[in-house]
Amino acid sequence: MLAARHVVCALSGGVDSAVAALLLRRRGYQVTGVFMKNWDSLDEHGVCAADRDCEDAYRVCQVLDIPFHQVSYVKEYWNEVFSDFLNEYERGRTPNPDIVCNKHIKFSCFFRYAVGNLGADAVATGHYARTSLEDEEVFQQKHIKRPEGLFRNRFEVRNPVKLLQAADSFKDQTFFLSQVSQDALRRTIFPLGGLTKDFVKKIAAENRLHHVLQKKESMGICFVGKRNFEHFILQYLQPRPGKFISIEDNSVLGTHKGWFLYTLGQRAKISGLREPWYVVEKDAAKGDVLVAPRTDHPALYRDLLRTSRVHWIAEEPPAPLVRDKMMECHFRFRHQMALGD
């Protein structure tokens, strides 16, 4: 008789990863749950949120009758994700730390731990996403020797694993997985890829997972939590007071504590003004933030976007781009934003 496939599932203490682990059990796999602690912080009551989540993840494992492990990547998270986040902010760029966390922590540190230390045949998470592989093909990956060096790229181009959008387009999280490596992707199962959030909640309710069902949905940046983002970031970066300037007549509309706190296109909270203004440009030299009224103001629109490094999920650029030096594609620079042409 064949030994059951061993899948190591990342558990966050939330409903999505709990149901992902449950579904893997239902498929007959041997499942191990792992909680990752990535950030050390206390909430307003002096309780460590990560400890509470860890307790909830442990209870999920008890309900499902699967082994539980916890790992700490606090140091790696600080070095690989948070330091990078602060450096980018200081330069006036506003990266999404969840994308960087998935790349360096979940699909690198955790992935290596699951495969190397726990002997996983595959890893799984509660992300709403899909890949082009069926489960059985994922399990076969550990037997496929990937060529090194010179021949590696040719092999990859023929056999790349694709990252596909989830069935629930509102919950789709492929934006956050856009930097994941081909190596990790080909060994990953996303059990929630074909389900809607409502159906996931229904499964949790019917399977004694009420303790995670009652938790509030975790939105936003994990290390900020419920705190005010501006207050949080100014604990780490020096305030640099400046002015909000109208793009229309150069008049001063108000003041702010640092031009780096604002993202292009973001609504600027300017005290004393009732109508909304939006960030058009940031002047690092003067420390001013230029703003425009209304979301449809022409100054807010661009028909050109420059990017530096491109992360190709298939490891090679698409054939039309190589052939024609141009290609048509859809793009998204924010989660849940409609795809643009």
Side-chain angles (χ1 to χ4, degrees):
M1 170 146 163
L2 274 172
R5 305 292 197 182
H6 183 203
V7 182
V8 174
C9 185
L11 292 178
S12 65
V15 66
D16 294 329
S17 58
V19 171
L22 167 74
L23 294 173
L24 292 166
R25 285 261 354 221
R26 280 195 187 162
R27 291 179 195 176
Y29 305 144
Q30 176 199 338
V31 182
T32 299
V34 175
F35 176 81
M36 279 170 267
K37 183 176 183 176
N38 298 333
W39 186 259
D40 259 329
S41 73
L42 304 178
D43 67 11
E44 58 275 28
H45 307 298
V47 178
C48 178
D51 289 348
R52 209 171 33 225
D53 291 336
C54 183
E55 186 68 33
D56 289 334
Y58 175 62
R59 282 178 65 192
V60 167
C61 289
Q62 285 183 308
V63 171
L64 300 181
D65 192 26
I66 61 174
F68 170 78
H69 293 260
Q70 63 166 313
V71 286
S72 173
Y73 294 127
V74 171
K75 190 171 93 226
E76 291 85 348
Y77 192 94
W78 182 277
N79 293 334
E80 301 279 353
V81 182
F82 192 62
S83 297
D84 172 71
F85 174 80
L86 292 179
N87 288 337
E88 288 289 287
Y89 257 81
E90 277 207 303
R91 291 178 185 157
R93 294 194 285 259
T94 49
N96 186 304
D98 293 330
I99 293 176
V100 186
C101 174
N102 281 326
K103 178 179 185 171
H104 292 296
I105 309 298
K106 288 192 183 113
F107 291 88
S108 182
C109 298
F110 164 69
F111 174 71
R112 289 197 305 270
Y113 170 75
V115 172
N117 296 49
L118 300 179
D121 293 312
V123 301
T125 70
H127 285 104
Y128 287 83
R130 295 177 301 132
T131 74
S132 51
L133 297 182
E134 297 294 329
D135 286 10
E136 206 40 55
E137 293 174 291
V138 173
F139 296 130
Q140 293 308 318
Q141 295 303 318
K142 78 176 203 179
H143 305 298
I144 297 174
K145 265 301 222 205
R146 301 182 75 207
E148 293 299 323
L150 200 59
F151 299 102
R152 179 174 166 131
N153 281 352
R154 296 221 176 131
F155 172 82
E156 298 311 336
V157 175
R158 279 204 312 272
N159 304 284
V161 176
K162 298 185 180 75
L163 177 65
L164 307 174
Q165 289 193 86
D168 186 335
S169 56
F170 182 72
K171 279 300 294 180
D172 174 68
Q173 289 171 306
T174 46
F175 176 73
F176 299 120
L177 299 168
S178 54
Q179 295 268 325
V180 173
S181 74
Q182 181 73 198
D183 274 336
L185 205 56
R186 49 176 68 236
R187 300 283 297 270
T188 302
I189 296 170
F190 297 113
L192 308 187
L195 307 179
T196 63
K197 178 76 181 198
D198 287 343
F199 193 59
V200 166
K201 287 179 174 174
K202 188 169 177 286
I203 294 171
E206 290 168 358
N207 288 276
R208 300 185 298 131
L209 293 169
H210 300 282
H211 73 288
V212 290
L213 197 50
Q214 286 149 7
K215 290 175 77 168
K216 267 189 123 88
E217 184 97 3
S218 62
M219 299 292 266
I221 301 169
C222 64
F223 49 73
V224 178
K226 293 178 184 159
R227 288 168 297 188
N228 174 291
F229 179 76
E230 188 175 299
H231 291 172
F232 174 81
I233 214 84
L234 290 176
Q235 291 174 358
Y236 297 92
L237 300 179
Q238 214 45 47
R240 295 188 209 155
K243 299 185 282 288
F244 283 117
I245 310 261
S246 165
I247 195 97
E248 303 212 295
D249 58 8
N250 279 338
S251 61
V252 176
L253 300 172
T255 59
H256 59 76
K257 291 180 182 165
W259 59 274
F260 53 79
L261 292 164
Y262 297 90
T263 303
L264 298 184
Q266 171 188 347
R267 181 173 174 174
K269 290 194 175 76
I270 306 174
S271 62
L273 295 185
R274 283 175 60 194
E275 69 277 12
W277 288 72
Y278 298 88
V279 177
V280 171
E281 204 72 65
K282 300 188 288 189
D283 186 333
K286 292 184 184 170
D288 293 337
V289 174
L290 303 174
V291 291
R294 307 182 319 276
T295 52
D296 60 355
H297 195 285
L300 288 165
Y301 290 83
R302 298 282 187 278
D303 54 11
L304 182 69
L305 174 135
R306 291 185 196 278
T307 180
S308 52
R309 297 185 309 276
V310 175
H311 171 78
W312 301 109
I313 291 171
E315 294 188 347
E316 284 285 297
L321 183 61
V322 175
R323 189 182 62 240
D324 305 328
K325 302 287 182 278
M326 61 186 294
M327 69 176 207
E328 286 191 13
C329 63
H330 295 288
F331 71 94
R332 174 180 281 145
F333 54 81
R334 208 175 57 237
H335 175 51
Q336 292 181 337
M337 161 191 167
L339 281 170
D341 289 320

